[in-house]
Amino acid sequence: MTTSPTEAAGGAATGSEAPGAILTIDLAAVAANYRLLRDRLGGSECAACVKGDAYGVGMAAVSRTLASAGCRTFFVATVDEGLALRRLLPEAAVYALNGIAAGGARAAAASGLRPVLNSLGDIEIWSGLSGRPPAALHIDTGLNRLGLAPKDVALLAREPARLARLSLPLVISHLTCADEPANALNEQQRLAFVAAAGALRPPGQSRPLLSLAASSGIFLGPSYYFDLARPGASLLGLSPNLDLPNPMAPAVRLEAAILQVRDLAVGESVGYGASWRATRPTRTATVAVGYADGYFRALGGRGSAWVGGHRLPVLGRVSMDLVTLDVTDAPAGLVHPGAFVELIGSHDDADGVAARAGTIGYELLTRLGPRLHRRYLGATILETSDGGLL
Ligand SMILES: *Cc1c(COP(=O)(O)O)cnc(C)c1O
């Protein structure tokens, strides 16, 4: 990521107003992360999870990038997300993890969307459609969130005819503690998944593909690969295991423009509640980002920005639209109105910033706000289904 943010500010999609905050998504890094996971998976398929607008960074750009890197199977959460992705990538298999409501089944099937069937009720709904449209089956092996409970699996094993009107190319389960390699639940769930999947024999069908691992599960080793893995967060550079060095390339950077620089005397305070007070003569810079942009209020007094390798601590509270930084120790030439500072990026990645706010990178990314100028780097030019270019 080499383009200077100052150049990008004028070129951002929303036009030429005063520079604010810029979110840069490096699609070349997304593609590199996909290839790294795919190579690690060897003969198993690497699908991609792009729910929540690809974790807040843009489903269209991320999905097209992944498709051009060879990804053929995608997971989203909702039917609406799935319908949008089917329109973008008509060739791809798209699974909706949250399942299907009776009212939407026919439309979903007509557009080729594949629901993940999470209950006996879901199975009944999807079995009522003509033409046996494909779907996935979700076996709950301990997360106790969605999916067929052990008693449901036992019932389906006793009465396989309940699956007779389905076409099931895929059976999934989801791990509870995949980011803790030593946790015994991982192996318990893996064995439960093998047993349950083996007990289900949809009459007259070839063996479905099996899928257990998301990002962290891939790093538990080959016995967790099965036929298909479905990473999401790691494709965007989040670490699959926060206790180990991150093998993924960072794909997200947040920068904000300095609006004002001030010099404070000892005893003066900064921000709402006067929660920070100068104990030395302090130069401050106020930048154009706040909690409305997803820069969490919890980062008040805890977060930092960076400029030219210099750390700029957040002073006092984070406001809705502004953050004030201590720039006393940074070279004056780098901290002037219009200059950009980095809040998420090479010095402090999304996992690190999130940890300082008491949360995880997943939440940080999905909360990045609509007001940010979004800039996509390294995009492959692809023709879209409607003839346009990305
Ligand atoms: C979110 C999700 C994924 C992707 O998880 P990551 O940790 O982001 O890789 C895969 N499968 C299911 C069922 C999910 O809910």
Side-chain angles (χ1 to χ4, degrees):
M1 304 207 282
T2 50
T3 319
S4 101
T6 327
E7 279 165 46
T14 45
S16 59
E17 69 263 38
I22 299 174
L23 182 69
T24 305
I25 296 103
D26 184 347
L27 296 173
V30 172
N33 287 332
Y34 180 79
R35 288 191 295 268
L36 183 147
L37 296 175
R38 183 196 59 195
D39 293 350
R40 191 177 182 101
L41 287 166
S44 302
E45 181 179 347
C46 190
C49 183
V50 292
K51 60 194 180 187
D53 198 26
Y55 298 52
V57 308
M59 182 176 76
V62 167
S63 303
R64 284 181 179 134
T65 299
L66 292 169
S68 68
C71 186
R72 304 185 307 278
T73 306
F74 292 82
F75 292 81
V76 293
T78 67
V79 168
D80 285 347
E81 290 175 341
L83 295 176
L85 188 52
R86 286 285 304 156
R87 285 193 291 273
L88 283 169
L89 298 175
E91 308 288 299
V94 179
Y95 289 94
L97 289 164
N98 284 7
I100 189 80
R106 204 175 298 275
S111 67
L113 180 64
R114 303 177 176 191
V116 173
L117 307 177
N118 288 309
S119 66
L120 297 176
D122 282 0
I123 290 173
E124 224 174 284
I125 291 170
W126 205 248
S127 295
L129 299 173
S130 56
R132 291 172 38 120
L137 213 54
H138 183 182
I139 298 171
D140 180 40
T141 52
L143 190 55
N144 284 314
R145 202 173 63 169
L146 284 180
L148 299 163
K151 67 170 175 30
D152 303 326
V153 173
L155 177 70
L156 293 171
R158 280 197 312 275
E159 301 178 14
R162 286 173 181 260
L163 300 174
R165 288 179 49 79
L166 294 176
S167 160
L168 293 173
L170 180 70
V171 174
I172 75 166
S173 188
H174 197 42
L175 293 167
T176 306
C177 303
D179 56 346
E180 300 171 24
N183 197 309
L185 268 177
N186 292 320
E187 195 59 7
Q188 275 176 37
Q189 284 191 272
R190 190 182 75 79
L191 295 173
F193 181 49
V194 171
L200 298 179
R201 278 195 211 80
Q205 295 198 27
S206 49
R207 183 182 83 76
L209 300 180
L210 301 184
S211 174
L212 180 61
S215 294
S216 302
I218 293 172
F219 291 84
L220 295 175
S223 63
Y224 287 80
Y225 296 170
F226 291 93
D227 301 301
L228 177 148
R230 25 174 233 278
S234 53
L235 295 168
L236 307 174
L238 296 186
S239 181
N241 185 325
L242 294 173
D243 299 327
L244 297 175
N246 185 0
M248 314 313 299
V252 177
R253 186 170 65 185
L254 176 64
E255 290 152 293
I258 295 176
L259 299 177
Q260 262 193 21
V261 175
R262 309 170 85 89
D263 288 298
L264 302 188
V266 171
E268 287 195 275
S269 67
V270 168
Y272 288 124
S275 64
W276 181 90
R277 243 170 232 289
T279 56
R280 61 168 182 169
T282 303
R283 173 161 289 188
T284 67
T286 298
V287 300
V289 71
Y291 60 76
D293 301 300
Y295 193 77
F296 291 120
R297 192 167 177 277
L299 290 163
R302 294 212 178 89
S304 293
W306 296 82
V307 73
H310 299 271
R311 194 170 81 86
L312 313 174
V314 171
L315 297 178
R317 294 195 184 149
V318 171
S319 307
M320 186 185 294
D321 319 302
L322 300 168
V323 169
T324 300
L325 304 168
D326 185 346
V327 300
T328 314
D329 299 328
L334 296 179
V335 286
H336 53 81
F340 276 78
V341 302
E342 180 186 283
L343 295 123
I344 299 172
S346 53
H347 293 92
D348 208 358
D349 61 14
D351 292 313
V353 175
R356 252 171 286 291
T359 182
I360 56 174
Y362 294 65
E363 188 179 23
L364 181 71
L365 294 188
T366 53
R367 295 295 191 91
L368 291 169
R371 193 166 61 182
L372 300 170
H373 298 269
R374 278 151 202 266
R375 190 175 58 141
Y376 294 92
L377 298 185
T380 315
I381 303 290
L382 283 179
E383 218 168 318
T384 62
S385 53
D386 56 7
L389 294 178
L390 175 67

